[in-house]
Amino acid sequence: RKEVEQDPGPFNVPEGATVAFNCTYSNSASQSFFWYRQDCRKEPKLLMSVYSSGNEDGRFTAQLNRASQYISLLIRDSKLSDSATYLCVVPLSGGSYIPTFGRGTSLIVHP
Amino acid sequence: SQTIHQWPATLVQPVGSPLSLECTVEGTSNPNLYWYRQAAGRGLQLLFYSVGIGQISSEVPQNLSASRPQDRQFILSSKKLLLSDSGFYLCAWSTGGTDIQYFGAGTRLSVL
């Protein structure tokens, strides 16, 4: 099993739709998780941190399912500007400074 | 506030030529520093990371090397570039107390 796995997509959704991505990880000791957004030909930028209690920021909700070892990102009321690749990040273990990036899930929001 | 600078933005180099990419961080001290490569349509591959001056760990054996001559400076080098070295090179930093990374704007390298 790969350390971090994501469905590459693309997820092709209309404006206003709700879309969710999952990211599975293999290291059960991981403590903190992140979602990054990467626009085409740009650097990744932090979107959200994901902690045990989950996290919500406007239209974005991130949750952690520790028992099944996956994190999720839910986007409500999709906008054209949400089109990007979404990367999940899992440190190798608690306190480690070596993160493992998923390969990303591509989202395309169309009019 | 903290900022990270990476240059050049774009680079075209012939096979066999040397490489030097520089990354500097401002507004923080003793950051963890990272070099990644992203091939077209692929994920981020961690190349090197550093937790302090002169301390470099390599994740992938290859013809690249990294150095950290100063606390907030990280350099990626090669003596002879290969075609397979083409890609998007990203520098990132994080503080010791968090796993959150912040990326530079990247260098797009084409080896011809």
Side-chain angles (χ1 to χ4, degrees), chain B residues 90-106:
Chain B
L90 291 155
C91 180
W93 71 272
S94 69
T95 61
T98 175
D99 295 315
I100 297 175
Q101 293 185 309
Y102 301 93
F103 287 84

Side-chain angles (χ1 to χ4, degrees), chain A residues 32 34 36 38 41-44 46 49 87 91 96-99 101 103, chain B residues 32 34 36 38 42 44 46 49 51 88 90 99-101 103-105 108:
Chain A
S32 55
F34 308 95
Y36 281 71
Q38 186 175 23
R41 301 179 69 82
K42 298 289 187 179
E43 75 275 21
L46 179 67
S49 301
L87 308 171
S96 166
Y97 38 76
I98 307 174
F101 280 77
R103 294 185 65 172
Chain B
N32 297 326
Y34 310 81
Y36 288 89
Q38 188 175 37
R42 305 291 296 275
L44 288 170
L46 180 62
Y49 67 92
V51 299
F88 190 36
L90 291 155
D99 295 315
I100 297 175
Q101 293 185 309
F103 287 84
R108 200 161 297 278

Side-chain angles (χ1 to χ4, degrees), chain A residues 37-56:
Chain A
R37 170 192 171 129
Q38 186 175 23
D39 292 301
C40 186
R41 301 179 69 82
K42 298 289 187 179
E43 75 275 21
K45 294 183 178 179
L46 179 67
L47 178 66
M48 302 180 73
S49 301
V50 188
Y51 299 112
S52 297
S53 58
N55 193 10
E56 184 172 329

Side-chain angles (χ1 to χ4, degrees), chain B residues 66-86:
Chain B
S67 62
R68 185 170 177 173
Q70 300 180 45
D71 181 44
R72 290 169 288 175
Q73 184 185 28
F74 206 21
I75 298 173
L76 182 70
S77 304
S78 175
K79 292 182 179 179
K80 287 186 178 182
L81 284 169
L82 307 173
L83 287 174
S84 58
D85 291 324
S86 294

